[in-house]
Amino acid sequence: MMSGGDQEPGHYYVGIDVGTGSVRAALVDQRGILLAFAERPIKKWEPQFNHHEQSSEDIWAACCHVTKKIVQGIDVHRIRGLGFDATCSLVVLDKQFHPLPVNHEGDSYRNIIMWLDHRAVSQVHRINKTKHDVLQYVGGVMSVEMQAPKLLWLKENLRETCWDKAGHFFDLPDFLSWKATGVTARSLCSLVCKWTYSAEKGWDDSFWKMIGLEDLIGDNYSKIGNLVLPPGTSLGSGLTPEAAKELGLPPGIAVAASLIDAHAGGLGVIGADVRGYGLVCEEQPVTSRLAVICGTSSCHMGISKDPIFVPGVWGPYFSAMVPGFWLNEGGQSVTGKLIDHMVQSHAAFPELQAKATARCQSIYAYLNSHLDLIKKAQPVGFLTVDLHVWPDFHGNRSPLADLTLKGMVTGLTLSQGLDDLAILYLATVQAIAFGTRFIIEAMQTAGHSLSTLFLCGGLSKNPLFVQMHADITGMPVVLSQEVESVLVGAAVLGACASGDFTSVQEAMARMSKVGKVVFPRREDKKISRKYLYVKMRKFLHKRVMYHIQVYTDIMTRSIKYF
């Protein structure tokens, strides 16, 4: 096994990232520089409200398409390793590894329950009522986005068409590594973070019996995984001839045990060398860094040498992202989707689209420049002093851990112009940043010591989003030289599996580089006033909803009277 500093020039690694709406692939060298990139959309179905489904066959076909694109014109024998990351969606296959339906329509092509699916609300409530010890490791309350409630839903609702025929339940990242190698081993990352597996104790029989899924225990948990490996471990004999042909890669190249997509982003940013940037974390351990992976949703990854239990924040998970460290994972559901929703549902959205197109700008670049025009002499953050967004439109993942919470906007007027749209967009971005601050404070209260944010993901390309996170948290934000940090993280896995680096930590340090640092602006003092709304939002929300219900009851009785 050669050290990263001694390896031959020209070694490449392939990273494949399966997100919510697309599959992306990158060819990355040993310095962490992207040499080629390709992307392909994937299909999504929403047969009814809160039911979100995908197809493993469609996703694998997209993986093959983008991988073939990025290796065109290069010597594929220089490719040393392949790493996958993906959303923590649930893939269901039968005993012969064929897709099974996860829907009432019986469509087996749709065999994935997506991570954001909330069909299993009743099941997760019952699981949480058990107060089982494994719940300590998910912040005390299991999320409906984890796999146990989804499995219980399948057993209770699709017994004949799915549950009784099932032979394999995979987290999507593990499905991809199986498809590439034929090895059914699961990644420690997936099982620890989403399936209640313990890196120290393994599966807990009593939990599965208590929630009514005792049938998974049989055959040594073969349906959900009995060989568990750390991320970056080389799987089997590498890429199978069949998968190699489909991907356009040489057979036998190393394939790594996978990561969840957000964790790959954390791996791609958190180990960067920050010397020379004037950051306090330069003289602090890596545990002072919080990786924030912000795309369709936002995930907040903090690591520690010893386990830290944070109420409402997932974890601690041992070696789930960085080997040898405990991981806590905070999160905000559908943050990117929320921004799109608020902007696209506004009356002035057609005007925004027309003006952005005329300037050859994205709608968000146009909104950012429009905010600069209307803010006049005051800091842009002051434009929302009377407008507040509560961003829990898809429930609160952290730190309130309450999926019943709903979103709300206060301070609206009758005006519906482009200025109002821009200010509502700003208030939404601020609300997400306040949510990050809320999570940071919960983590610090529990024992974390955090000083610097490391952002990656699609929203980190938005300068307003980044600046608001710096201003509202009061912490500097580090952006990577390579904006596609999730893909770098996936490539880091492949590099580790190849043996070109002695450890994940070495690969992280050598393949992750700082691109830009954004410091907080101290003049936005009114930020603290808005934060009071965030701290009180659960209480206020429930009070307001109570009064709305009372008002609705009164109106209903009045209508009946007349």
Side-chain angles (χ1 to χ4, degrees), residues 253-392:
I253 67 169
V255 179
S258 59
L259 277 172
I260 298 168
D261 55 350
H263 300 64
L267 205 65
V269 298
I270 206 168
D273 183 354
V274 298
R275 287 176 293 183
Y277 290 91
L279 293 165
V280 65
C281 68
E282 180 180 336
E283 303 299 328
Q284 296 174 335
V286 69
T287 53
S288 68
R289 305 177 181 192
L290 183 72
V292 183
I293 300 85
C294 34
T296 304
S297 285
S298 294
C299 296
H300 305 72
M301 307 290 191
I303 59 175
S304 57
K305 289 298 291 182
D306 298 305
I308 299 174
F309 293 86
V310 186
V313 173
W314 298 342
Y317 304 132
F318 185 65
S319 288
M321 185 173 79
V322 181
F325 287 85
W326 293 84
L327 171 70
N328 282 105
E329 179 186 350
Q332 297 162 285
S333 290
V334 296
T335 46
K337 190 173 181 179
L338 173 62
I339 295 173
D340 291 341
H341 172 75
M342 299 295 273
V343 170
Q344 293 172 13
S345 60
H346 195 278
F349 180 63
E351 179 187 356
L352 168 64
Q353 275 186 307
K355 290 187 173 180
T357 301
R359 286 196 188 177
C360 298
Q361 287 183 306
S362 73
I363 58 173
Y364 295 115
Y366 186 91
L367 284 172
N368 291 349
S369 60
H370 191 76
L371 286 168
D372 284 334
L373 285 176
I374 64 177
K375 72 182 179 68
K376 300 177 181 176
Q378 62 182 345
V380 69
F382 286 14
L383 289 171
T384 60
V385 68
D386 295 316
L387 183 68
H388 310 286
V389 173
W390 297 346
D392 300 328

Side-chain angles (χ1 to χ4, degrees), residues 207-218:
F207 171 71
W208 299 102
K209 291 175 181 177
M210 186 176 287
I211 68 170
L213 292 178
E214 61 281 347
D215 29 354
L216 293 177
I217 300 173

Side-chain angles (χ1 to χ4, degrees), residues 277 279 453-455 460-463 466-467 476-482 513-519:
Y277 290 91
L279 293 165
L453 305 183
F454 287 69
L455 260 63
S460 70
K461 301 172 188 176
N462 183 332
V466 174
Q467 188 65 64
V477 174
V478 177
L479 301 174
S480 291
Q481 185 178 47
E482 289 291 351
K513 294 177 176 61
V514 175
K516 182 181 180 183
V517 177
V518 177
F519 289 94

